[in-house]
């Protein structure tokens, strides 16, 4: 790959992922919850995607956005969890230099893409509740296409320098990564060079992307809450809030887990090093497992579509 300098590749050809430094003899037991969660995440998301594809009643912008979120979940899950399970089960700790930075690129890019997708979904709910008469003319299939282009290019352009900066560092010392995944800082700290620029760029880019998304999502729901409070009918208000509840549950879980991971990671020695590593791994499998379940349980159209799909398969 051209973005990796030749002298770096000659010195370090692979990294060794040891996962939890203080749990080498017992960390394999973590595969007991991880493997079912991976199966659940992949199975639930593929069922959801098939239901949206085959059921005509789900061919609407709202469900297309949910399909985008589901695809991002699958990609993130497959990028991280299978490698972690291989380490736990077969002690397959090595990962190639290029493979490590490819994993780093996908994690740094697709996680903010999920956040941007939540933002677009929040805007969808805002228009549906605050401007219901204009909803069919604003939230169209072309809107979903434009939103997908925005999600991809916005996050790609901002996050691409993070793995590139880390890959261009000189790695001439240890190649042992004290993590289950190729997290940027975990890998960059093995470099012989100054990594302050890499750390600064990642910090600024992450907070600019995820922070701006979170602020705009909260603003959207403030407008939604204000509009609901002005509804004369209690039944209409309940119905309006129920259409947002699934989305709000997933947003709260996504950002809560992410913020807990960030703050425990910044806490340093006050928190055992295994805690942020575990939270980072869980953030790549728990939300993908919950997202389709929450929508499937709480959204009648999706529930009916999945039931029809399963009956058809029989």
């Amino acid at each position: 790959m051209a973005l990796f300098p030749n002298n770096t590749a000659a010195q370090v050809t692979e990294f060794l992922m040891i996962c939890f430094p203080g749990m080498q003899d017992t960390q394999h037991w973590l595969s007991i919850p991880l493997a079912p969660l991976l199966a659940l995440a992949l199975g639930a998301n593929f069922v959801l995607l098939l239901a949206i594809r085959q059921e005509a009643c789900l061919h609407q912008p709202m469900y297309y956005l949910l399909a985008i979120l589901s695809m991002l979940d699958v990609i993130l899950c497959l990028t991280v969890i299978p490698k972690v399970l291989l380490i736990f089960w077969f002690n397959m700790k090595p990962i190639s230099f290029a493979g490590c930075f490819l994993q780093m690129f996908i994690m740094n890019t697709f996680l903010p893409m999920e956040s941007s997708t939540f933002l677009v979904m929040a805007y969808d709910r805002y228009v549906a509740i605050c401007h219901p008469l204009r909803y069919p003319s604003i939230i169209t299939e072309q809107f979903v296409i434009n939103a997908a282009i925005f999600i991809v290019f916005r996050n790609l352009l901002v996050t691409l320098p993070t793995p590139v900066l880390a890959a261009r560092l000189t790695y001439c010392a240890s190649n042992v990564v004290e993590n289950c995944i190729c997290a940027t800082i975990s890998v960059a700290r093995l470099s012989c060079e100054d990594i302050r620029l890499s750390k600064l760029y990642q910090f600024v880019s992450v907070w600019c992307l995820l922070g701006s998304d979170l602020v705009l999502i909260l603003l959207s729901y403030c407008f939604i809450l204000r509009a609901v409070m002005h509804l004369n009918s209690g039944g209409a208000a309940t119905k309006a809030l129920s259409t947002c509840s699934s989305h709000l549950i997933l947003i709260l879980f996504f950002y809560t887990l992410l913020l807990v991971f960030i703050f425990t990671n910044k806490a340093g020695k006050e928190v055992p090093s295994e805690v942020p590593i575990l939270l980072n791994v869980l953030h790549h499998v728990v939300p993908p497992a919950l997202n389709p379940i929450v929508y499937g349980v709480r959204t009648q159209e999706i529930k009916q579509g999945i039931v029809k799909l399963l009956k058809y398969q029989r």
Side-chain angles (χ1 to χ4, degrees), residues 32-282:
I32 294 175
L34 277 183
L37 280 172
L38 174 63
L40 177 62
L42 296 180
N45 279 288
F46 281 129
V47 168
L48 178 62
L49 288 169
L50 282 173
I52 293 173
R53 182 176 181 270
Q54 294 191 10
E55 291 301 318
C57 65
L58 299 180
H59 293 175
Q60 300 176 35
M62 172 183 172
Y63 302 113
Y64 292 149
L65 293 173
L66 183 57
I68 293 174
L69 180 66
S70 190
M71 287 187 286
L72 292 174
D73 279 338
V74 170
I75 292 170
L76 277 169
C77 205
L78 289 176
T79 300
V80 172
I81 306 305
K83 176 60 179 176
V84 175
L85 291 176
L86 288 175
I87 296 171
F88 290 164
W89 287 340
F90 306 109
N91 205 32
M92 294 178 63
K93 297 178 181 179
I95 183 171
S96 69
F97 187 86
C100 183
F101 287 99
L102 177 61
Q103 187 188 68
M104 186 187 299
F105 164 74
I106 293 174
M107 290 187 301
N108 278 283
T109 304
F110 282 73
L111 194 63
M113 283 185 187
E114 282 206 358
S115 176
S116 298
T117 305
F118 281 127
L119 172 61
V120 176
M121 293 170 77
Y123 178 72
D124 169 81
R125 293 299 86 203
Y126 162 75
V127 176
I129 293 174
C130 299
H131 304 284
L133 297 180
R134 298 176 58 194
Y135 182 84
S137 62
I138 296 176
I139 309 299
T140 61
E141 290 188 3
Q142 186 59 49
F143 168 83
V144 176
I145 294 171
N146 294 338
I149 294 172
F150 162 77
I151 290 168
V152 171
F153 283 98
R154 176 223 191 194
N155 294 288
L156 184 64
L157 291 174
V158 175
T159 60
L160 181 60
T162 298
V164 171
L165 287 170
R168 295 188 66 85
L169 294 170
T170 301
Y171 295 89
C172 55
S174 172
N175 68 336
V176 177
V177 179
E178 295 185 353
N179 207 325
C180 296
I181 58 181
C182 288
T184 306
I185 303 304
S186 296
V187 175
R189 63 164 57 108
L190 302 177
S191 171
C192 307
E193 299 181 38
D194 188 349
I195 65 170
R196 284 179 294 182
L197 177 60
S198 181
K199 291 176 66 176
L200 177 64
Y201 186 85
Q202 185 187 30
F203 177 81
V204 172
S205 61
V206 166
W207 281 107
C208 285
L209 289 174
L210 300 183
S212 61
D213 288 346
L214 182 57
V215 169
L216 291 173
I217 289 170
L218 293 175
L219 191 61
S220 296
Y221 273 95
C222 286
F223 285 123
I224 289 171
L225 187 60
R226 187 181 69 174
V228 168
M229 290 176 65
H230 284 84
L231 292 175
N232 294 325
S233 169
T238 302
K239 184 178 179 180
L241 287 175
S242 67
T243 62
C244 300
S245 59
S246 301
H247 182 234
L248 195 55
I249 290 170
L250 299 182
I251 288 173
L252 290 174
F253 190 83
F254 176 86
Y255 282 103
T256 299
L257 188 56
L258 189 61
L259 289 172
V260 170
F261 161 68
I262 291 172
F263 287 124
T264 54
N265 201 34
K266 294 296 180 183
K269 295 181 179 179
E270 297 177 11
V271 176
S273 60
E274 289 81 9
V275 173
I277 295 173
L278 179 61
L279 287 173
N280 202 0
V281 171
L282 290 177

Side-chain angles (χ1 to χ4, degrees), residues 2-42:
L3 59 85
F4 304 140
N6 293 331
N7 62 335
T8 302
Q11 293 171 13
V12 173
T13 58
E14 66 179 18
F15 293 101
L16 296 178
M17 319 294 294
I18 65 170
C19 274
F20 302 97
M23 300 171 56
Q24 291 297 290
D25 296 330
T26 57
Q27 64 183 11
H28 60 277
W29 292 107
L30 291 172
S31 65
I32 294 175
L34 277 183
L37 280 172
L38 174 63
L40 177 62
L42 296 180

